[in-house]
Amino acid sequence: MTITINLCADIGESFGAYKIGDDDAMLGIVRSASIACGFHGGDPVTMHDVVKRAKEAGVSIGCHPSYNDLWGFGRRRIDTSADHLEYMIAYQIGALQAFAAYVGEKVTHLQPHGAVANVAAEQEDAAMAIGRAIRSVDRGIIYVAPPDSWMEKAGRKLGLRVALEGFCDRSYDDDGKIASRKLPGAVHTDPDVVASQVLRIALHGEVVSRTGKVLPQRVHTLCVHGDEPTGVATAKAARKALEDAGVKIVTLPEMNFE
Amino acid sequence: MTITINLCADIGESFGAYKIGDDDAMLGIVRSASIACGFHGGDPVTMHDVVKRAKEAGVSIGCHPSYNDLWGFGRRRIDTSADHLEYMIAYQIGALQAFAAYVGEKVTHLQPHGAVANVAAEQEDAAMAIGRAIRSVDRGIIYVAPPDSWMEKAGRKLGLRVALEGFCDRSYDDDGKIASRKLPGAVHTDPDVVASQVLRIALHGEVVSRTGKVLPQRVHTLCVHGDEPTGVATAKAARKALEDAGVKIVTLPEMNFE
Amino acid sequence: MTITINLCADIGESFGAYKIGDDDAMLGIVRSASIACGFHGGDPVTMHDVVKRAKEAGVSIGCHPSYNDLWGFGRRRIDTSADHLEYMIAYQIGALQAFAAYVGEKVTHLQPHGAVANVAAEQEDAAMAIGRAIRSVDRGIIYVAPPDSWMEKAGRKLGLRVALEGFCDRSYDDDGKIASRKLPGAVHTDPDVVASQVLRIALHGEVVSRTGKVLPQRVHTLCVHGDEPTGVATAKAARKALEDAGVKIVTLPEMNFE
Amino acid sequence: MTITINLCADIGESFGAYKIGDDDAMLGIVRSASIACGFHGGDPVTMHDVVKRAKEAGVSIGCHPSYNDLWGFGRRRIDTSADHLEYMIAYQIGALQAFAAYVGEKVTHLQPHGAVANVAAEQEDAAMAIGRAIRSVDRGIIYVAPPDSWMEKAGRKLGLRVALEGFCDRSYDDDGKIASRKLPGAVHTDPDVVASQVLRIALHGEVVSRTGKVLPQRVHTLCVHGDEPTGVATAKAARKALEDAGVKIVTLPEMNFE
């Protein structure tokens, strides 16, 4: 039996004259892209361009919404009420859908960015707010969520398809959550470490924590951060390891979420 | 034979704690609304709220896009390339569509705001850029344009439905264009003047310029500015005058654009 | 012996076309003004205008810095590192100093706005960051702080002059802190209640909490919020009550902080 | 007799997670820096950091103000009234002065950025608005201006010191103005071309236009753009050429403007 998994990068985070990440290279490697929508990065021109290239590369299009915080690159928690958060997310979905319409595609998944992803993983009201935005704008959109997070629970409660996410390039704490960026070694930059973690997740449904603990980690999608300088190398290492092991890499909508 | 015309206000221009206009009152008077999309005014919470109330009031939903200029309220010309403008407009359409989806409606028209409306009336490349954004995101959206403007021409060239607009609350120059806001008397605040202008346009297809010249002015929609302090009184005066004269006021999609 | 106290309003919170508060009326009543600096409200034109009018009215000029959050009007907590906060505050002081220079005046106090004021009252690192910004840009600036807050402690530790603040228009919890805006009755809108609270603070150095507890509350300045619809009425009531009781109302720099 | 000239770069244009230019390398080469103030680039953290390093490197500190246009990197003309422009410039001067105060220095020059520099070179009202901002905030600040521009005239009319600027890295049209960025070869990337142009200006007070015409070009400061990928190489080439030719490179305040 062939194992299938998705490989996904967050891209499109450039803003005007400011460039972050090598989106073109990334689109040649991954099969799904979570695209910034102008709140922490990205702008209408970048979004149009990245969506067009994703279409050309056969990469499925996802929304990567954030708090409105360009200066903080969406990494600062902003104390936002659930309804305000919901409408901020809805706004970003809609904006990206416009560019998907340009190429005759749909936005097929949503993966929150940075601080809002952390908050929604931990807090039910934020997780539900994001889920309601998805349900109201297009209930066909897949909600990408960490396993056992409030996001997963919210997605299921709202009847949405949920894609569980693992990370190629981040180390894990003993509780199964990714370690804070502030810790040394939080971001894997060694391709061998990446390959090892990716294979452990894809083949065995488990991950080894920073302290060496083996944790269950069943996921549908493996994520890599496009804004890391080593992002492209990480994505390449992940893809090669998976392909060499006979794992089939598919787009998110091609995954089976039953 | 009954004359039909649309009455439309631009609303939803509040931003966070900052309130402009009396959107609720306006939604009880007009039949179509051009809703700000966060670039010169408006925010996700305001957009959600205004779209919901428009639905409840049976008012059709339109996009009121702008340059990204909150400080200048979209009234400053910004030297933007045609492709950048196109994607800015597309972004705003998509954002509003998300909130239309909340209430099971569609965005049915687009009316540019402020400086970008002035630029697009005068310059072919800007008018075409806006038209291409409409065509790419949803070619069913009606392009609201001043008669004989580049916007009208662009809309026709691109095969879009074009609604010609007249103004309840603005005086006209001899060339048939609305007079600059900088001129005294540019904005009509007297309900009798409003009623007179509205009837002249609706019943006779003409308008009297600031110098007294009678100009042809065939339009599908009569616009009132929601951010003017006298906006609600103007809208009421226009509606009453039209109804008293037996003119039927309909939503923009109900108009016949043949 | 004459009792002296300062009466201060936060003003200059309009932004472009968006108007909040009646700054002119307020400047005729208070003796000090805490002026928004463009991060939660205010803009260069508003700042210039308000500073000029403050000068004309003999009102002393203070800085009212905030998180960079126009949409949230500075009322949302943003998880900002201490050094980033420090430089954000310094930036806002400098911007206001430019307009003070226009009228040959100096910025003589700083009173944090909204969420950053709440955070700095509760957290030492934020309180110290603000204090360091003051010390580095102009150590003559008076640090306005709630009694017994981390802001008071930080100001003293850094050798700054500290003005303790009380509120004309806000109710107090039993711990001596102002009650959350989310609670009913958090904002006093009845001029008699305002007068009573102001007199109790100015004459007796105490305040009555929401539950009726009498709390010591020795302050140098009594604040009123300019963005409240009842702000001007509150300021008038406070001033009249103080003057009728023979209290001398002075600018903040005229107060004795020994 | 020794020839003296200033070498100046515009730096500090990074924003949050977005990095542009190699400010550290540039500060080791030039003697003055025009520092972005948050309107087209730059933020409080970047400004603090760059000013501190400039102080350490003995580089004089200048203000590089812009239209408020982060997305357009200050390169889009925005139709701004003269008084609004004046206060925007004043705001940015003040913000930078705060960071100069951190290191016991002053802002000693002002060089407008991008589109506002182009507009002020061509239009008297904009040039005067910038000059009035300087005069009101600190009349000791040197106004950096292209020779024969409205900026030069405005500076002289207002009694300000004016530093005439030439460019290391830009080609010139026959009218003595730098060629548009849209033209091929507008930016010199060949160090030999840079060296040749710099020497011609410094030693002979003239420049060779794109068509080969020799034009008088007496300047006090030679500028290099920090955001160009070749900026550091250009600055190095300029410095080496000048030093090899015995030209003394000094800070802007050390120049003689009589």
Side-chain angles (χ1 to χ4, degrees), chain B residues 157-228:
Chain B
K157 193 168 172 182
L158 293 164
L160 302 172
R161 283 186 295 168
V162 175
L164 299 178
E165 68 181 359
F167 287 87
C168 302
D169 57 355
R170 297 292 294 275
S171 64
Y172 283 77
D173 283 328
D174 284 0
D175 60 1
K177 296 190 172 64
I178 57 172
S180 165
R181 270 176 190 279
K182 292 169 189 162
L183 296 174
V187 177
H188 298 324
T189 55
D190 179 342
D192 291 340
V193 174
V194 169
S196 163
Q197 175 158 314
V198 156
L199 287 180
R200 191 85 181 234
I201 295 177
L203 301 181
H204 306 290
E206 57 192 32
V207 75
V208 183
S209 80
R210 292 162 61 84
T211 67
K213 216 172 142 184
V214 177
L215 309 163
Q217 194 76 191
R218 302 214 163 267
V219 306
H220 304 94
T221 176
L222 285 165
C223 303
V224 57
H225 288 89
D227 62 302
E228 292 294 334

Side-chain angles (χ1 to χ4, degrees), chain B residues 23-134:
Chain B
D23 293 347
D24 277 351
M26 208 56 115
L27 285 169
I29 303 166
V30 299
R31 299 304 313 279
S32 295
S34 299
I35 298 170
C37 298
F39 274 47
H40 75 280
D43 62 54
V45 176
T46 301
M47 290 166 76
H48 172 267
D49 188 53
V50 168
V51 167
K52 184 164 161 262
R53 294 174 188 224
K55 163 77 173 185
E56 291 163 1
V59 169
S60 76
I61 297 161
C63 177
H64 198 44
S66 170
Y67 291 129
N68 58 328
D69 183 17
L70 191 68
W71 187 31
F73 201 62
R75 294 205 176 120
R76 303 187 302 173
R77 294 185 179 214
I78 302 182
D79 185 23
T80 305
S81 66
D83 59 332
H84 285 215
L85 176 59
E86 176 182 343
Y87 306 136
M88 285 171 66
I89 301 294
Y91 182 99
Q92 295 176 69
I93 298 172
L96 186 65
Q97 286 177 321
F99 297 107
Y102 262 75
V103 294
E105 292 292 332
K106 302 192 79 169
V107 172
T108 47
H109 76 269
L110 181 146
Q111 182 183 32
H113 167 83
V116 79
N118 296 336
V119 169
E122 297 167 16
Q123 297 178 11
E124 183 175 13
D125 62 346
M128 287 294 290
I130 295 171
R132 284 195 305 272
I134 293 173

Side-chain angles (χ1 to χ4, degrees), chain C residues 5-257:
Chain C
I5 204 160
N6 172 253
L7 189 58
C8 181
D10 44 353
I11 62 170
E13 293 176 323
S14 295
F15 182 82
Y18 296 105
K19 304 302 170 196
I20 278 191
D22 184 348
D23 294 348
D24 278 351
M26 208 57 115
L27 285 169
I29 304 166
V30 300
R31 299 305 313 279
S32 295
S34 299
I35 298 171
C37 298
F39 275 47
H40 75 280
D43 62 54
V45 176
T46 302
M47 291 166 76
H48 172 267
D49 187 54
V50 168
V51 167
K52 184 163 162 264
R53 293 173 189 225
K55 164 77 173 187
E56 290 163 2
V59 169
S60 76
I61 297 161
C63 178
H64 197 44
S66 170
Y67 291 128
N68 59 327
D69 183 18
L70 191 68
W71 187 32
F73 202 62
R75 293 202 178 125
R76 303 187 300 174
R77 293 187 180 212
I78 302 181
D79 184 24
T80 305
S81 66
D83 60 331
H84 285 213
L85 176 58
E86 177 182 343
Y87 306 136
M88 284 171 67
I89 301 294
Y91 183 101
Q92 294 176 71
I93 298 171
L96 186 64
Q97 286 178 321
F99 298 106
Y102 263 76
V103 294
E105 292 292 332
K106 303 192 79 170
V107 172
T108 48
H109 77 269
L110 180 146
Q111 182 184 29
H113 167 82
V116 78
N118 295 337
V119 169
E122 298 166 14
Q123 297 178 9
E124 183 175 12
D125 63 345
M128 288 294 289
I130 296 170
R132 285 194 304 272
I134 294 173
R135 192 181 57 176
S136 297
V137 180
D138 177 2
R139 60 170 61 245
I141 292 173
I142 300 158
Y143 194 171
V144 177
D148 299 320
S149 66
W150 276 110
M151 288 157 73
E152 181 188 359
K153 293 185 192 82
R156 302 211 186 286
K157 192 168 174 182
L158 292 165
L160 302 172
R161 283 185 296 168
V162 175
L164 299 177
E165 66 181 0
F167 287 87
C168 303
D169 56 356
R170 296 293 295 274
S171 65
Y172 283 77
D173 284 328
D174 284 1
D175 60 1
K177 295 190 173 65
I178 57 173
S180 164
R181 269 177 191 279
K182 292 169 189 163
L183 296 175
V187 177
H188 298 325
T189 55
D190 178 343
D192 290 341
V193 174
V194 168
S196 164
Q197 176 159 312
V198 156
L199 287 180
R200 191 84 180 235
I201 295 176
L203 301 180
H204 305 290
E206 59 193 30
V207 75
V208 184
S209 80
R210 292 163 60 85
T211 68
K213 214 169 141 187
V214 177
L215 309 164
Q217 193 77 189
R218 301 214 163 268
V219 307
H220 304 93
T221 177
L222 284 164
C223 303
V224 57
H225 288 89
D227 62 303
E228 292 294 335
T230 49
V232 171
T234 293
K236 274 187 188 158
R239 177 163 163 169
K240 186 170 187 315
L242 292 169
E243 287 181 340
D244 287 353
V247 176
K248 192 178 171 198
I249 309 176
V250 298
T251 66
L252 260 175
E254 290 172 304
M255 289 293 295
N256 182 357
F257 297 104

Side-chain angles (χ1 to χ4, degrees), chain A residues 13-20 40-46 70-73 75, chain D residues 13-20 40-46 70-73 75:
Chain A
E13 293 176 322
S14 295
F15 182 82
Y18 295 105
K19 304 303 169 196
I20 277 192
H40 75 280
D43 62 55
V45 176
T46 302
L70 191 68
W71 187 31
F73 202 62
R75 294 206 177 121
Chain D
E13 293 176 322
S14 295
F15 182 82
Y18 296 106
K19 304 303 169 195
I20 277 192
H40 74 282
D43 61 54
V45 176
T46 302
L70 192 68
W71 187 31
F73 201 62
R75 292 201 178 125

